Every structure is written in structure tokens, then in C-alpha cells.
Amino acid sequence: MRRWKPFPSAGRWLALALAMVFTGGSVFFGWLCSLHFAGQPASWKIDFDFFVRFLALLLMVFLAGTAWMRFLRAITLWYGLDRNVVYIGSIGNQEMVPLEDILRLDFGVRVDGLPVPLIQGIGCYWGDGRSTDLPSVFVRSTIPPSRCIFIVTSHGTYAISPEEIELFVQELEQRRHLGATKEHVFEAVYGVWFNTPFWRDFSSIYLLVIALAMNTLAIGFLSWFFPSLPAEIEMRFDAIGGVSELRPRHQSFFLPLAAFGVTLVNLFGALIFFRYEKLVARMLQGASVVVQILFCVAIIMVIRG
């Protein structure tokens, strides 16, 4: 199999620059948040100002993660071609398009409906779109779709951007005329952590967003009432609602931290199980929501005393 590099573009360097800026922002707001935990736990200054800085930290982390992902997708993108299959690979994922399924090659097709259009071109152009004559277009490119090669197949169209585009087209046409030596079907192989179908599964992402939003709101709720809490608070309730013991008030923050840990473990489990059983992965995400609800109830009981 011969590998082809994608067409070099400035988008990947833009993604790298943004990733470094947002990573710096994450470090800065992380440092601001850490100032609230200076000294002994009894003197921690947890208040709404801390929560605002925490929200800024979350935003910076999200933007940095998005920029790094688009940069990694761009620098790991490659195309392959052998006697039977066209390969498209990036960050451990690989799509294989049989040559015998290719109907024709097109150029200059207008593509609409790419996800999050504001960030297309930062790092790469990526996602599933559509056009007037081609209802399903899978863009896997470093340049705008209008400048891509469109490989039209019976199950969809792929917009790609090999660096030596004329040579790629010439070799692809030659291999098509020669004919395939083995029968292949379309196949997509995904890695564990960058499992694209999981991140495009509405149910999984919806449950994950709910769990994380509840965890963030729990931290905000606790931050708002933390200054008014007594030095010792009632925690660890028994089965009939009685107080098990008194704890220092700073330990109340262990509740949302523990809930986040459970959500994180369930997320890793869902990523692993999604390849084999989607229902189990979704149940893990649903369990994260239930855990967040239980911990939110515990936080409310702590605040109410």
C-alpha cells in the first residue's frame, strides 16, 4: 500500500497556536483557582468568585481540548491506496473504501451542513455534510471541500485532499481499470479513546453533558453557600436520616469530586464497551446521571444542615 500525505495548509498551525493559547489560559485560571485553596483547609476561601474562575477554567480546558484534537487530526491524517482499497486514516481511526464501489471522481462540489462551521479550517475540514447531487458527503480534508477530490461511492461520497493530487488521481484510475484482486466491503476501524461513533452517538453525549452540567451546578451551589456553612457540618447520613458524624466543612467538596470521579470512570468504561455493546455504554452514562443526582441530594442535605 502506498501512503499519501494530505495537502499542507496553514490550518494546522492555526490549530496549534490556538491550542497553546487556550492551554496557557487553562494554566492561568487553574492558578487563580488554586489561590482559593491556599493555607490550611479551614481557611480555604470558597465562594462565588471561585466558581466564576472555575467556569473560566472549564471553558479554557474545553477550547484547548478542541484545538488540540483538530491539530492532532490534521497532522495524523493520511490517505492510502492499494490494488483493492482506498484508505483514510487519522488519530488511530481508519476508513476503507473498496475500489469496486467507486462510481466516479468529482471536483468542485459545494458541500453544506458541515458541523460547527465556525471552526472548519482550524486544523482541518472534517465532518459529514451534503450537497445538491450528493446527499451524504464525508469530508476528510485539510483544504476547503471546493478544492477536494470527491470519491463517489454507492454508500456515500468522500472529500479528500492528497498532496500530489494529480498523481493520486492518475494512480487511482489506473488501479480501477486494472480491477480489484479481492472482494472488499466498506469498513471503518476505530480506536478505543478516539472512537468516533461514540462521540457522534446522541444518547451517550446527551447523558454525558447532563452529568457534567449537574456536577458543575453542584460545585456552584456549594460555592455559593460555603462561606455561610459552620466550621463542622453534618455528613454521612444513615439509612433513617440520622447524623452519622460531624466533619470539617471543607470535606463537603469531596462530594462533587467523588461524583466527577464516578462519571469519569463510567466514561472510560463506555468508550471501551461502545465497540461491542452500545446499550451497556449508554447504561453507564445513565448511571453517571443517577450518581450525580444522588450526590446533589447529599449536597443539599449538607447545606440545609
Side-chain angles (χ1 to χ4, degrees):
M1 177 183 67
R2 179 177 177 181
R3 287 202 177 199
W4 304 74
K5 295 180 180 179
F7 192 87
S9 68
R12 56 184 175 179
W13 305 121
L14 175 59
L16 177 60
L18 291 175
M20 295 179 67
V21 169
F22 292 136
T23 300
S26 301
V27 174
F28 174 72
F29 283 106
W31 172 72
L32 289 181
C33 289
S34 69
L35 296 178
H36 290 262
F37 297 96
Q40 297 297 320
S43 63
W44 286 356
K45 298 178 62 177
I46 308 299
D47 49 22
F48 191 71
D49 179 63
F50 161 77
F51 182 61
V52 172
R53 297 182 180 187
F54 178 71
L55 288 179
L57 171 62
L58 293 182
L59 178 61
M60 288 294 106
V61 169
F62 173 76
L63 294 176
T66 301
W68 279 117
M69 177 61 68
R70 296 193 70 84
F71 173 70
L72 290 175
R73 194 184 293 279
I75 65 173
T76 60
L77 178 62
W78 61 275
Y79 309 109
L81 185 62
D82 65 15
R83 184 67 182 273
N84 305 294
V85 176
V86 175
Y87 300 86
I88 305 171
S90 180
I91 56 174
N93 299 329
Q94 186 172 286
E95 297 170 274
M96 291 168 278
V97 183
L99 292 184
E100 58 188 8
D101 286 353
I102 297 176
L103 303 177
R104 68 181 188 276
L105 301 180
D106 275 348
F107 295 90
V109 177
R110 176 185 173 86
V111 179
D112 299 313
L114 286 178
V116 198
L118 289 177
I119 65 173
Q120 293 293 337
I122 299 177
C124 57
Y125 291 82
W126 200 277
D128 300 350
R130 63 185 183 277
S131 69
T132 304
D133 300 324
L134 307 170
S136 297
V137 181
F138 312 115
V139 179
R140 312 288 189 259
S141 169
T142 56
I143 58 178
S146 59
R147 296 166 53 194
C148 291
I149 305 173
F150 289 81
I151 302 177
V152 183
T153 72
S154 55
H155 64 270
T157 300
Y158 293 84
I160 63 174
S161 58
E163 183 176 12
E164 300 175 275
I165 186 169
E166 294 181 357
L167 188 59
F168 179 88
V169 171
Q170 180 181 353
E171 188 165 335
L172 176 58
E173 292 289 12
Q174 288 177 351
R175 294 178 184 270
R176 287 182 63 201
H177 290 315
L178 289 173
T181 58
K182 294 181 181 179
E183 290 188 3
H184 286 268
V185 296
F186 168 79
E187 184 179 5
V189 179
Y190 300 103
V192 176
W193 310 119
F194 297 111
N195 190 330
T196 302
F198 173 84
W199 297 109
R200 292 191 302 189
D201 182 67
F202 177 79
S203 298
S204 298
I205 299 303
Y206 183 70
L207 292 171
L208 177 62
V209 169
I210 290 178
L212 294 178
M214 292 183 65
N215 190 257
T216 303
L217 290 176
I219 293 176
F221 191 67
L222 190 56
S223 299
W224 181 270
F225 287 97
F226 190 85
S228 61
L229 293 177
E232 292 187 332
I233 56 177
E234 299 173 351
M235 292 184 64
R236 295 181 57 191
F237 299 89
D238 58 29
I240 61 174
V243 177
S244 181
E245 65 178 284
L246 296 175
R247 292 292 186 91
R249 67 174 183 174
H250 73 269
Q251 292 193 10
S252 61
F253 260 86
F254 294 164
L255 295 174
L257 183 62
F260 176 75
V262 172
T263 299
L264 196 61
V265 170
N266 285 352
L267 174 60
F268 288 150
L271 284 169
I272 295 173
F273 279 106
F274 195 84
R275 304 175 66 186
Y276 312 104
E277 183 54 60
K278 295 181 180 180
L279 179 60
V280 174
R282 291 166 181 164
M283 289 178 63
L284 285 172
Q285 298 301 90
S288 295
V289 175
V290 174
V291 167
Q292 293 292 344
I293 293 174
L294 295 177
F295 274 94
C296 284
V297 172
I299 291 173
I300 293 174
M301 294 177 71
V302 166
I303 292 174
R304 292 180 59 184

